[in-house]
Amino acid sequence: MKNHLLSVLSRSLFYKHRIIPCVYESISVRHFSHKKDGSNPGDQESSNDKDRISTSGQPTQESKVSDPHKALKETTNRYSFNDAEAPSGYVDPAKTDEHYHIKRAMRILKLDFQKLWRNVQDPESRYQGNTLFPTHVDILIIGGGAIGSSIAYFIKEKVLDGCRVAVVDRDFTVNYDLDEYARASTTLSVGGLRQQFSLRENIEMSLFGAEFLRNIKHHCHVIGEDEPDVNFTPNGYLFCASQDGAATLEKNHQLQKELGAKNVLLGPEQLKAKFPWLNTDDIALACLGLEKEGWFDPWLYLNAVKKKAISLGAEYVRGEVVDFLRRRNNQVHYEGYDDGEYHSVNECVVRDEKGELKTITFAICVIAAGAYSGQVARMLKIGDKNQEQGFLFVPLPVEPRKRYVYCFESPRGPGVNTPMVIDTTGTYFRREGLGNYYICGKSPTPEQEPPVDNLDVDYEYFNENVWPHLAHRVKAFEELKVSNAWAGYYDFNYFDENAIIGLHPSYHNIHFATGFSGHGIQQAPAIGRAVSELILDAEFKTIDLSRFLLERVARRQEAREVNIV
């Protein structure tokens, strides 16, 4: 420590000439040459200097042969701050404050002590970033699941240290057997990936998601860590349609092929030949995904993208957003508001894991809180019927919906090439691992929707609404034994069951990424990239997701899927 203090003091007290390294002349001219007479520091260099650095800004052949390190050193010394013209109004503090160097040394020491104190308080690096709790950020993301972490990753990948990004996740504060993300929709999903949709945007997002997962070792590798692997199983999806749904299935298939998806239509005889264990009596047509479809481990994906986002500088905060501070802003004139009536939001209140309330000031906020996005939106007065101006009176149509996943054993069940089968009734099943284990489920009807105040599993629902369909489709499933089950939440968009992204019409800095209704895990890479484009480029650069913008809710323009699972 003593040597470190002496080093800091010596650097601050005796390094009075602050050198700005500049290798090429063209770079120095661009930054420091705006003199009134049109000259620049490079114009007055000696003939010897010109021999070393050419007028094009590149080292000459002579300099390369003689001593490139000497040429670089002399060039660096030549373009010091004192040689360049200072910006207008600039006052050098070193010349006006006799204690400047001592103050500078103390600032450096303060930062070093803060870093040391963070390591003492946080030896396991549970908090990331410059402070234990960031009070000011450029972009605040609420929700650290697959969607929120993907947004953080794509933003930091583009800007690196150009802006400060913090992710607040309340699921950190819940501890079930020391299992982080115990209630997160991401880790409780079945991790399906398919392109068999009816909307162009959903197909394109899943195609990108498949490519991202295929190259995740390149995208999310962190130096010093093992290469990430999401255990992708490319068995495809098998959608089965009755006579009533055959035409729709064929129409969807044509669009999917046009966009690059690889799948094939199978009649009853072809289906029986390929999957002898399948009862095809009431199946008129089926569609089987051949490439880029299957399932993967959601936790491994979340872990990979989160680690990469952190390595790029994103900060994860353990806590729960409990409120926003809205303030009247007379300087902003917003459509739909009378002058002086607009309220802007730049602060949120977070309850940390110790129960303390703290505030975070932000420039932009992205709400990616999954099933609880509607709850967060109400903190912003979204859905308040008493709001007469703007679109705040329109609620965010996202609410939690509980879904059950059952794991069962069937000794004589289908083999390892079994795809994710989607029955004509909406019941689904697939293999889980290399043993004779399978997982299955079925979305309930509106009348059967279970309460969402807990994650308890209803096994009677399996006996009455799932097992009969399984046994009808696969005879071997007449003899099965349920070994395990769990429940998770959909961020259910009850307006049209599709993604809701983009700016809220009544706020200039509040973005949403929610309402995926069961498709979020497979669309996370594309949504992360799309939201980063909206924030950094103010428009979609890759996949045009304008159909899914939040404003469609206020305009009552549905973007509804056909054959939603």
Side-chain angles (χ1 to χ4, degrees), residues 81-101:
F81 186 87
N82 293 332
D83 294 333
E85 181 179 5
S88 177
Y90 175 80
V91 178
D92 191 345
K95 296 180 179 179
T96 58
D97 187 352
E98 60 179 346
H99 301 298
Y100 168 77
H101 298 293

Side-chain angles (χ1 to χ4, degrees), residues 148-418:
S149 294
S150 297
I151 295 171
Y153 160 73
F154 277 97
I155 291 177
K156 292 302 293 183
E157 182 196 37
K158 292 180 180 179
V159 301
L160 296 178
D161 294 333
C163 73
R164 189 176 184 184
V165 177
V167 182
V168 178
D169 198 339
R170 77 180 217 158
D171 206 54
F172 277 126
T173 62
V174 181
N175 190 339
Y176 294 155
D177 298 327
L178 301 178
D179 184 17
E180 291 183 349
Y181 295 102
R183 299 174 57 186
S185 299
T186 296
T187 55
L188 294 174
S189 71
V190 298
L193 174 64
R194 62 183 170 99
Q195 288 84 53
Q196 296 189 52
F197 290 97
S198 62
L199 293 182
R200 173 183 297 270
E201 293 84 353
N202 284 334
I203 300 170
E204 292 177 335
M205 282 196 288
S206 289
L207 284 170
F208 173 75
E211 287 298 323
F212 187 87
L213 291 179
R214 174 178 293 182
N215 298 289
I216 195 167
K217 293 181 180 180
H218 167 72
H219 295 302
C220 295
H221 179 230
V222 177
I223 297 176
E225 300 275 352
D226 294 335
E227 291 185 342
D229 187 356
V230 296
N231 292 341
F232 181 67
T233 304
N235 283 21
Y237 268 65
L238 179 66
F239 270 82
C240 302
S242 63
Q243 191 64 46
D244 294 336
T248 301
L249 187 66
E250 185 173 3
K251 181 180 178 181
N252 293 347
H253 165 71
Q254 295 299 326
L255 176 60
Q256 293 153 15
K257 285 184 61 177
E258 291 176 7
L259 296 176
K262 305 294 183 182
N263 52 39
V264 60
L265 294 176
L266 301 174
E269 295 181 359
Q270 296 169 304
L271 199 58
K272 191 68 174 178
K274 190 170 185 63
F275 305 110
W277 42 265
L278 195 67
N279 176 15
T280 62
D281 290 346
D282 54 350
I283 297 177
L285 190 66
C287 186
L288 175 64
L290 302 178
E291 293 182 10
K292 302 180 181 180
E293 285 194 349
W295 54 90
F296 60 97
D297 189 320
W299 187 89
L300 291 177
Y301 171 80
L302 174 58
N303 188 55
V305 74
K306 177 184 173 182
K307 278 188 175 181
K308 185 62 176 181
I310 291 174
S311 72
L312 294 173
E315 304 173 59
Y316 277 71
V317 179
R318 300 168 187 259
E320 179 180 1
V321 174
V322 296
D323 201 2
F324 288 86
L325 302 182
R326 300 173 70 244
R327 294 185 175 87
R328 191 184 304 274
N329 193 334
N330 297 325
Q331 298 179 346
V332 175
H333 300 277
Y334 213 75
E335 182 179 359
Y337 287 86
D338 296 335
D339 290 344
E341 293 298 322
Y342 178 76
H343 287 71
S344 61
V345 178
N346 291 99
E347 286 184 87
C348 74
V349 182
V350 178
R351 180 185 291 113
D352 66 12
E353 60 181 352
K354 298 179 181 179
E356 299 177 358
L357 296 180
K358 301 177 181 179
T359 61
I360 299 179
T361 302
F362 56 84
I364 294 174
C365 178
V366 182
I367 298 175
Y372 298 97
S373 296
Q375 176 181 329
V376 177
R378 287 191 288 274
M379 300 177 192
L380 290 162
K381 304 298 182 181
I382 297 174
D384 187 347
K385 300 298 183 181
N386 296 323
Q387 299 292 326
E388 299 180 354
Q389 299 189 3
F391 291 93
L392 289 179
F393 64 92
V394 180
L396 181 73
V398 177
E399 63 184 18
R401 294 283 181 92
K402 186 162 70 172
R403 296 292 181 263
Y404 305 122
V405 181
Y406 302 94
C407 180
F408 64 89
E409 182 181 7
S410 178
R412 298 187 297 110
V416 293
N417 67 334
T418 303

Side-chain angles (χ1 to χ4, degrees), residues 16-29:
K16 296 184 178 181
H17 295 287
R18 287 163 292 153
I19 304 300
I20 300 177
C22 186
V23 178
Y24 299 129
E25 180 181 358
S26 58
I27 299 178
S28 66
V29 171

